[in-house]
Amino acid sequence: MATYTQFFNNDTVNSIDRVFSSAWSGNVNDLGASHFSSSTQYITTSPTSSGAFYMEIYDKNPDSDDTAEVQYSIAYGSLTGKGGMDFNDDSGAENISSTKAIYSQYRNLVFGGDETQNFTFDGYTPDDIYIINVNRARYKNAIRLGNLNITLWASQSEQINIQSPAGALSHLQGAINLTDDSVTTSGSANAIRAGVGREFNLVSGSNGIRFGSNNTHVTNSGSYGYVYPDAGFIILNADALDHSASIAAPGGIQLNTVDGTLTGSADSASRAPLKLQNALIQGGSFILDASEDISSRYYWIRVYNQDFNYTTNDSFTANDGTLSFDSMIDNPQTYITTVGLYNDNQDLLAVAKLSQPLPKNFTKEALIKVKLDY
Amino acid sequence: MGYLDNTSVIVDAILTKKGRELLSRQDGSFKITQFALADDEIDYTLYNESHPNGSAYYGEAIEALPLIEAIPNENNTMISKLVTLPRGTTKIPVLSVQSSKITVGRGANFTLSPNTLNFDSAVESAYSFTIADRRLISQGSSTGGSGKSNAPSNIPFTGTALSQTFLGTSFTGTALSGITLFGSNSALATSIIVVGVDTGARTTVTLQVNKDNNVTSTVALSSF
């Protein structure tokens, strides 16, 4: 007589499966033009406010919709501290601003605390970088490579500038489509950074395939940036984005990142993250997939013909335990609906339900595979 | 809670509350070593021995039943277990206790010693005693059960209701002594689920702890 059946070694097996899904809330594949910020979070008039460091981007308007969720953040970093407020103008603290802190933070992450290293894009070192930092809950374990697609479009004023005199506004004019170069490089990363893992180039193209034969499409401004799929962020070269979007000298989106005269001053005019947010809205497409490794353990429930043919179900018996059906004395019929997994102390640790009742009697055996995800 | 998709055979396993608690402890207590089967949701009165199409259709109404998803509370699932008994069995083992309700005051001891009826073996090797809300006892222990007994142990504090299981042939508990948990209530109650390890026979005893300390007599509930 037995109610609990011990597992043997060959009854269990471990497995790790990689699962991909759309990153944005609600399993949305393309965020489109839905890039909202919060008026209460993005405040740049105080050097210690969170808005001075980064701007959180929601899928819905957080000021009017309680269901809005943070999808990613935009930060702006400056090697020289431009475009942000100084923390303190006292001696020893000049030109240390939130934007300089951001640049140093990501430099520390990527280069492991080597302050002599700066972000260099195809040999070009800009003063400014943008960071798109995807919310951890969105990208899960890693950004899926070969699926990242970002479209950035020039500012409204620049779109007007690049219109041909008699022509209608074309989406191709001033727009750049960015992706990682994982397909082009057959998955080979630029480098494995100690703090953030793999590094891929952010290039002009789509679905991991670089357009053209090199990473740089902007004269004298370097490549567009880097993708760090394991850490969930993308670094963009501000100078490449600031480059002209004109037909004569294309490649950028004329983002107008920051006015150099604003160095060390209050940045009410710059608001650099806001400019990238607008470029994303105008671009109208931000596709990102999440990658997650799920560790599973499979349990094989072996139900032999002579086992589990009776039940303690109250409807199976009268109050004194007598079987309700005479035909079941020799040919009992039960139905499996639930599998319970226990430890040695009889604690019910996990439970599995079948999709429909499984008949069991002395002429039937069953093999049930239970998958438990961690 | 939704119905499971029965167009394909899918076994959906989830951790119970108890499983999550033991997993978070990281002390080796989360180790799945055995399984049991149950037929929760099945009403055997739907088994129709008068079905005009013959015996193959006796269980038609049961087999077509869509099942609900798994319930994560370990106290509300695996209620009626399937058991292995010799062919020709006419009676299913059932548990008996002296009363289905224990009423004690704060700090009082109580003992449960169940018995299994309709059981061919001399005694059940052990019973599992699961206190659905362990906050209502301050200490518990079990004896008997050929090495499966639990020495007296103080129940760890938790802010929410979690279960605690003891193995043995007899269980002794001490009701909580503090009054904080009572709030404005004059009494608190929980279930003690007793299951025969060999037979799967199950019964539920209600434990009521009165805030009023006058009811402090030790209650012994033994078998018939």
Side-chain angles (χ1 to χ4, degrees):
Chain A
M1 172 175 290
T3 304
Y4 301 92
T5 303
Q6 293 285 325
F7 286 113
F8 296 100
N9 287 338
N10 57 355
D11 291 336
T12 61
V13 64
N14 282 332
S15 174
I16 297 178
D17 300 317
R18 181 157 294 174
V19 177
F20 302 110
S21 60
S22 297
W24 310 127
S25 292
N27 204 30
V28 171
N29 182 244
D30 188 348
L31 208 50
S34 301
H35 306 260
F36 297 92
S37 56
S38 165
S39 59
T40 56
Q41 190 267 328
Y42 188 58
I43 297 172
T44 58
T45 52
S46 165
T48 56
S49 69
S50 67
F53 291 86
Y54 64 93
M55 171 197 271
E56 290 183 325
I57 302 298
Y58 297 76
D59 56 339
K60 300 166 188 167
N61 187 347
D63 296 335
S64 59
D65 192 334
D66 291 341
T67 65
E69 291 184 325
V70 176
Q71 307 298 301
Y72 64 92
S73 300
I74 298 174
Y76 165 73
S78 170
L79 182 60
T80 55
K82 288 189 299 183
M85 292 181 70
D86 285 351
F87 290 109
N88 194 318
D89 283 334
D90 290 344
S91 177
E94 296 93 342
N95 297 328
I96 297 180
S97 68
S98 56
T99 62
K100 186 167 186 172
I102 287 289
Y103 190 97
S104 300
Q105 179 186 28
Y106 283 91
R107 177 169 61 187
N108 189 287
L109 276 171
V110 174
F111 301 115
D114 182 356
E115 74 278 8
T116 64
Q117 292 257 30
N118 293 317
F119 286 102
T120 300
F121 305 90
D122 261 6
Y124 178 84
T125 305
D127 279 346
D128 317 306
I129 57 171
Y130 285 95
I131 302 100
I132 294 176
N133 197 331
V134 182
N135 196 311
R136 220 292 300 167
R138 303 273 69 82
Y139 77 86
K140 299 193 170 79
N141 289 161
I143 293 173
R144 183 185 186 185
L145 291 169
N147 182 261
L148 171 68
N149 288 285
I150 305 173
T151 301
L152 300 175
W153 204 8
S155 63
Q156 287 288 343
S157 58
E158 180 61 15
Q159 289 168 30
I160 294 168
N161 290 338
I162 62 178
Q163 283 184 85
S164 56
L169 187 65
S170 167
H171 197 283
L172 294 176
Q173 291 175 321
I176 55 174
N177 298 303
L178 302 175
T179 186
D180 61 83
D181 64 349
S182 61
V183 175
T184 299
T185 63
S186 301
S188 177
N190 289 340
I192 307 295
R193 303 292 184 185
V196 293
R198 294 169 296 168
E199 176 187 272
F200 286 86
N201 292 305
L202 184 70
V203 297
S204 175
S206 62
N207 296 325
I209 302 171
R210 183 181 62 202
F211 173 71
S213 57
N214 58 62
N215 297 334
T216 298
H217 290 262
V218 182
T219 306
N220 298 326
S221 294
S223 61
Y224 289 114
Y226 297 116
V227 180
Y228 299 91
D230 301 319
F233 65 83
I234 300 164
I235 291 188
L236 296 105
N237 174 2
D239 282 6
L241 301 183
D242 286 347
H243 190 270
S244 165
S246 68
I247 295 172
I253 57 170
Q254 191 103 13
L255 195 58
N256 297 321
T257 296
V258 66
D259 186 339
T261 59
L262 288 174
T263 301
S265 66
D267 188 24
S268 58
S270 175
R271 299 177 71 91
L274 188 61
K275 293 175 178 172
L276 183 57
Q277 179 198 15
N278 287 334
L280 285 158
I281 293 170
Q282 294 297 325
S285 181
F286 189 173
I287 297 173
L288 190 74
D289 273 8
S291 170
E292 184 175 25
D293 293 339
I294 296 179
S295 297
S296 304
R297 190 166 181 84
Y298 291 93
Y299 296 87
W300 300 91
I301 310 296
R302 304 179 198 280
V303 187
Y304 297 105
N305 65 305
Q306 72 273 25
D307 296 338
F308 300 108
N309 294 318
Y310 293 90
T311 173
T312 58
N313 191 309
D314 286 342
S315 66
F316 192 75
T317 62
N319 288 338
D320 65 350
T322 304
L323 298 187
S324 297
F325 301 94
D326 290 341
S327 66
M328 288 200 180
I329 293 175
D330 286 326
N331 297 299
Q333 174 68 62
T334 57
Y335 296 90
I336 303 168
T337 64
T338 314
V339 180
L341 304 177
Y342 293 82
N343 63 7
D344 280 337
N345 195 47
Q346 249 72 32
D347 290 312
L348 179 58
L349 304 180
V351 62
K353 291 296 289 286
L354 274 63
S355 55
Q356 58 188 115
L358 182 65
K360 179 70 186 72
N361 56 43
F362 277 104
T363 67
K364 291 181 178 175
E365 294 196 343
L367 181 61
I368 303 168
K369 186 169 77 169
V370 175
K371 181 185 178 192
L372 185 59
D373 293 335
Y374 293 93
Chain B
M1 178 174 299
Y3 287 100
L4 291 166
D5 178 6
N6 65 2
T7 57
S8 61
V9 178
I10 299 172
V11 178
D12 171 29
I14 60 168
L15 293 177
T16 61
K17 282 170 57 181
K18 187 67 180 179
R20 291 183 186 281
E21 183 210 353
L22 297 187
L23 185 63
S24 68
R25 280 191 198 168
Q26 305 233 339
D27 61 357
S29 55
F30 185 91
K31 185 179 181 184
I32 293 172
T33 59
Q34 53 191 341
F35 72 88
L37 303 175
D39 59 4
D40 297 352
E41 301 178 56
I42 299 298
D43 181 355
Y44 285 92
T45 60
L46 295 171
Y47 193 76
N48 182 12
E49 289 184 311
S50 303
H51 199 290
N53 292 351
S55 57
Y57 294 86
Y58 287 177
E60 185 181 32
I62 296 174
E63 289 162 26
L65 189 70
L67 299 177
I68 64 170
E69 292 171 314
I71 298 171
N73 189 329
E74 64 276 5
N75 302 314
N76 299 330
T77 190
M78 298 297 292
I79 304 296
S80 55
K81 293 186 177 65
L82 302 187
V83 293
T84 300
L85 294 170
R87 196 166 193 168
T89 296
T90 57
K91 284 192 170 183
I92 302 297
V94 293
L95 287 192
S96 72
V97 290
Q98 192 174 33
S99 170
S100 60
K101 184 173 184 180
I102 304 171
T103 303
V104 293
R106 287 184 288 114
N109 293 325
F110 60 92
T111 300
L112 268 173
S113 298
N115 190 24
T116 304
L117 306 178
N118 307 333
F119 187 32
D120 292 340
S121 302
V123 290
E124 190 119 35
S125 63
Y127 299 92
S128 66
F129 301 89
T130 301
I131 293 73
D133 184 353
R134 69 189 188 197
R135 296 176 300 175
L136 267 61
I137 64 170
S138 60
Q139 193 179 70
S141 65
S142 58
T143 57
S146 59
K148 292 180 178 177
S149 59
N150 299 97
S153 60
N154 293 322
I155 304 301
F157 171 80
T158 52
T160 58
L162 288 171
S163 66
Q164 185 85 24
T165 299
F166 297 84
L167 278 181
T169 55
S170 176
F171 169 74
T172 298
T174 304
L176 83 166
S177 55
I179 60 170
T180 306
L181 193 63
F182 287 88
S184 59
N185 299 309
S186 59
L188 295 174
T190 188
S191 299
I192 301 176
I193 301 159
V194 187
V195 178
V197 168
D198 299 322
T199 63
R202 170 188 169 116
T203 191
T204 300
V205 176
T206 300
L207 170 66
Q208 178 177 314
V209 181
N210 290 327
K211 189 177 184 180
D212 182 354
N213 228 2
N214 292 330
V215 187
T216 55
S217 59
T218 298
V219 179
L221 289 177
S222 57
S223 61
F224 289 116

